[in-house]
Amino acid sequence: MPLSKAQLLAWLGKLDAVYAAKKEYLTDLDAAIGDADHGINMNRGFGKVMEKLPPVADKDIGTILKTVGMTLMSSVGGASGPLYGTFWMKPGMLLGGKEELDAADFARFVEAGVDGILQRGRPERGDKTMYDVWAPVLEVVKARAAAGDDVAAIVDAALPVGEKALADTIPLQARKGRASYLGERSVGHQDPGATSSYYMLETLRDVLHA
Amino acid sequence: MKKLINAVENVVKEQLEGMALAHPELTVAFEPTFIRRADAPVAGKVALISGGGSGHEPMHGGFVGKGMLDGACPGEVFTSPTPDQMYACAKAVDGGAGVLFIVKNYTGDVMNFEAAAELVAADGIKVQNILIDDDVAVKDSLYTAGRRGVGTTVLAEKIVGAAAEAGYDLDACAALCRKVNQYGRSFGVALTSCTVPAAGKPTFDLGEGEVEMGIGIHGEPGTHRMPIGPVDALTAYAAGQIIDDPAYTRTVREWDGSGWAENTLTDAPFAKGDNVIAFVNSMGGTPLSELYAVYRKLDAVCKEKGLTIVRNLIGPYITSLEMQGFSITLLKADDEILKYWDAPVKTPGLVR
Ligand SMILES: Nc1ncnc2c1ncn2[C@@H]1O[C@H](COP(=O)(O)OP(=O)(O)OP(=O)(O)O)[C@@H](O)[C@H]1O
Ligand SMILES: [Mg+2]
């Protein structure tokens, strides 16, 4: 089964609820190794997305994704604003005219999004950022799409990989972003951006199984 | 938390409204938020824009005016502004000669300004971005996001602002700004933490008898803590960190007109015989009188090390809310830098 537009909208709506519920938790993670604003930033951003979505909800998927990206870019702030902004915007530019995403489209979505994070933040694996979750997830997504899985099966396969990658950020020493100034003191904490990225995947799984 | 605020979520907006009322020579726009010279765009002049989190006043909004910035984009307290602010500001102040973004090296600021530069360039406006990364408390750029942008930002905005006023084109403004950044080094010391209104509690805990050496302007951790000593000892330490700092090399991303170019820059250390501009800054809570005590010792250390202070700036210019503490910036001054340092400037935060 492809990812329908209704599922995409449900995913975004659910993300808004997830970031509202996890606002304190993400902010606490950021307080440990950053400046205690990541949950506030994500909550504000997806709140704005909910305001901007209704007028474009019946447009093509490319337009919806671009709207999400532009909105996050101009409302999240911090490092994660431009990162998530490009993450949603770049696939939007690729997927113009689409009313649903098949497995190949979905793989292009994730690939273009992760490429956006790479271009904007220039992270490397092991820097203790959101890219540490997206890099292995992208590998699985591409492999499962090539093997002929549908979107739900791809996401099911990617989720445990993302979950492990998220836990694997804990022992890392940050080399990018605000956390890098802590040096060794950043070790032992889960990265906030990696955590909010994992929620995107987990929430999509929930929507696909609803 | 004891602060002169109404509702926490309106802090920045209400402060900007007050500023607009006090300074009719400035225009403050909301949604997206930016401050600009009321007489901008100035035809044919390169427009300078800076920005960053609020809480460092008078930087940056207080430096908007003739001879300094054309526009400033404030974020929430200690949070970077977003690209739509810089984009709208650039459209409002570009006088046809292009726009220079002066960006302090913090991941959030850097990425938001990079996104903005792409938007501005896509509209056919010439744009360049120069990073300020002068905090010697950060030693390496390999394992961190690199040196943070601190005191040199104020000096760069003044000097490049004057050069733009004198008719420098965009390339020349960018080159001068890059040079000022490479000639400037800073180091900060905190005596107390500060409290971000939205957080409601101090950013970090510092014992009654302790100081944090190498503090950033958002309460980023410094290099170490130690018992507070006499002002002479604290000043000698900070000045020594700056003057003895070896060459510093890192790679920066600069917009080259069509895309991002990676430029590797190396800053030479200070050398005996250098003329310098000395900037002693209050983090907000330290009174001017104590800054003069810092300056007294700084002058002695410079003489000892063979540096001549040819100009100075002393006061609260790049602050960290109500934090007690100070920073020292030394900027190697050549004829070009001195000429534009001495040029007139008229802004709410700096007049000469
Ligand atoms: N260069 C980078 N590449 C990829 N991800 C990054 C990079 N730098 C930081 N991040 C991610 O951003 C997250 C922090 O986002 P947040 O919104 O809290 O920004 P911030 O650094 O606090 O910015 P600001 O200080 O301007 O508010 C980190 O947990 C990390 O996952
Ligand atoms: Mg943060």
Side-chain angles (χ1 to χ4, degrees):
Chain A
M1 287 257 289
L3 177 73
S4 69
K5 196 197 292 183
Q7 284 172 319
L8 172 65
L9 293 170
W11 181 21
L12 293 166
K14 223 173 153 115
L15 273 176
D16 175 43
V18 166
Y19 290 128
K22 300 288 187 182
K23 179 175 153 184
E24 301 282 317
Y25 176 62
L26 287 172
T27 297
D28 286 348
L29 289 177
D30 196 31
I33 58 169
D35 56 353
D37 63 357
H38 188 59
I40 300 169
N41 294 349
M42 295 305 289
N43 182 230
R44 181 175 55 233
F46 273 85
K48 265 274 179 301
V49 167
M50 287 302 106
E51 282 173 32
K52 299 278 174 168
L53 268 185
V56 296
D58 57 354
K59 298 260 163 56
D60 66 292
I61 286 182
T63 303
I64 294 173
L65 296 180
K66 275 193 281 184
T67 304
V68 173
M70 292 290 277
T71 307
L72 293 177
M73 184 87 89
S74 59
S75 62
V76 175
S80 48
L83 291 167
Y84 283 134
T86 43
F87 177 86
W88 292 88
M89 203 126 66
K90 285 209 125 205
M93 282 144 74
L94 272 182
L95 299 168
K98 297 268 178 194
E99 292 296 318
E100 57 178 30
L101 303 183
D102 64 17
D105 293 332
F106 180 71
R108 288 166 74 210
F109 175 147
V110 180
E111 184 166 25
V114 176
D115 196 50
I117 291 176
L118 266 177
Q119 278 181 21
R120 188 56 72 213
R122 286 161 293 161
E124 287 173 35
R125 276 174 96 154
D127 281 352
K128 196 179 183 107
T129 70
M130 57 178 71
Y131 182 61
D132 288 323
V133 163
W134 286 113
V137 162
L138 175 60
E139 283 169 11
V140 184
V141 168
K142 286 209 288 200
R144 297 316 311 166
D149 282 3
D150 74 355
V151 177
I154 292 173
V155 173
D156 284 345
L159 194 66
V161 172
E163 190 172 9
K164 176 167 185 314
L166 174 60
D168 286 347
T169 65
I170 295 174
L172 295 173
Q173 175 171 333
R175 285 187 303 228
K176 287 272 154 47
R178 200 169 271 292
S180 68
Y181 297 122
L182 285 170
E184 285 171 8
R185 281 177 283 171
S186 63
V187 171
H189 301 278
Q190 185 170 300
D191 180 64
T195 311
S196 56
S197 286
Y198 174 74
Y199 291 153
M200 288 185 183
L201 209 59
E202 190 184 51
T203 308
L204 178 58
R205 193 271 320 263
D206 292 349
V207 166
L208 289 167
H209 286 279
Chain B
M1 173 172 68
K2 239 180 188 175
K3 282 185 188 284
L4 301 175
I5 60 175
N6 295 312
V8 165
E9 56 281 11
N10 297 332
V11 164
V12 171
K13 181 167 178 285
E14 291 178 356
Q15 291 172 352
L16 289 171
E17 284 167 358
M19 202 173 161
L21 291 166
H23 296 285
E25 69 276 20
L26 303 182
T27 299
V28 179
F30 293 101
E31 306 219 356
T33 304
F34 63 90
I35 303 164
R36 66 171 176 87
R37 280 170 65 159
D39 63 347
V42 182
K45 186 184 91 66
V46 171
L48 265 54
I49 295 178
S50 192
S54 294
H56 308 299
E57 292 68 19
M59 190 185 77
H60 296 275
F63 298 146
V64 174
K66 198 168 157 57
M68 224 163 157
L69 299 176
D70 293 80
C73 303
E76 286 302 310
V77 175
F78 291 1
T79 296
S80 53
T82 52
D84 52 320
Q85 294 175 252
M86 283 73 95
Y87 174 71
C89 185
K91 301 273 274 189
V93 302
D94 174 42
V99 177
L100 179 68
F101 286 161
I102 300 179
V103 186
K104 302 193 298 304
N105 188 37
Y106 297 94
T107 303
D109 285 359
V110 170
M111 292 199 285
N112 282 286
F113 270 96
E114 283 184 1
E118 290 168 11
L119 293 173
V120 170
D123 267 13
I125 296 176
K126 278 184 290 182
V127 60
Q128 294 229 30
N129 72 311
I130 296 293
L131 290 187
I132 305 292
D133 56 349
D134 61 319
D135 186 350
V136 300
V138 180
K139 291 297 169 211
D140 76 90
S141 64
L142 219 48
Y143 300 108
T144 69
R147 287 189 171 173
R148 303 174 288 234
V150 287
T152 300
T153 315
V154 176
L155 308 182
E157 289 175 3
K158 161 70 190 84
I159 292 161
V160 183
E165 211 71 59
Y168 271 40
D169 68 12
L170 183 57
D171 283 338
C173 284
L176 177 59
C177 194
R178 197 184 293 110
K179 178 169 85 173
V180 170
N181 179 47
Q182 292 199 258
Y183 280 11
R185 282 176 163 81
S186 302
F187 188 90
V189 178
L191 274 52
T192 62
S193 179
C194 56
T195 298
V196 175
K201 53 178 194 281
T203 306
F204 56 93
D205 297 312
L206 197 56
E208 178 56 28
E210 274 184 328
V211 291
E212 175 102 23
M213 307 300 284
I215 191 86
I217 54 172
H218 311 91
E220 296 93 341
T223 49
H224 63 286
R225 282 178 184 192
M226 55 181 226
I228 187 164
V231 60
D232 280 1
L234 297 176
T235 304
Y237 184 89
Q241 291 295 304
I242 293 168
I243 299 170
D244 301 333
D245 184 53
Y248 175 65
T249 301
R250 75 296 202 189
T251 300
V252 297
R253 265 218 299 198
E254 293 181 4
W255 184 256
D256 72 0
S258 56
W260 292 104
E262 307 252 333
N263 296 333
T264 299
L265 305 175
T266 298
D267 303 357
F270 287 102
K272 264 202 170 65
D274 280 350
N275 287 332
V276 296
I277 298 175
F279 169 28
V280 177
N281 173 63
S282 165
M283 295 291 194
T286 287
L288 186 59
S289 50
E290 292 179 19
L291 298 183
Y292 280 116
V294 171
Y295 187 75
R296 170 181 173 274
K297 180 64 182 177
L298 176 62
D299 183 78
V301 176
C302 285
K303 282 189 177 122
E304 202 178 292
K305 301 264 189 186
L307 304 182
T308 307
I309 300 179
V310 291
R311 301 287 188 280
N312 66 67
L313 180 70
I314 302 173
Y317 292 100
I318 166 170
T319 59
S320 241
L321 298 167
E322 77 282 27
M323 178 185 286
Q324 260 180 284
F326 69 98
S327 64
I328 294 174
T329 300
L330 294 179
L331 172 66
K332 179 179 156 180
D334 60 13
D335 291 344
E336 184 188 32
I337 286 174
L338 279 181
K339 175 175 175 195
Y340 294 112
W341 177 255
D342 288 340
V345 59
K346 194 167 180 305
T347 68
L350 192 63
V351 186
R352 144 192 348 254

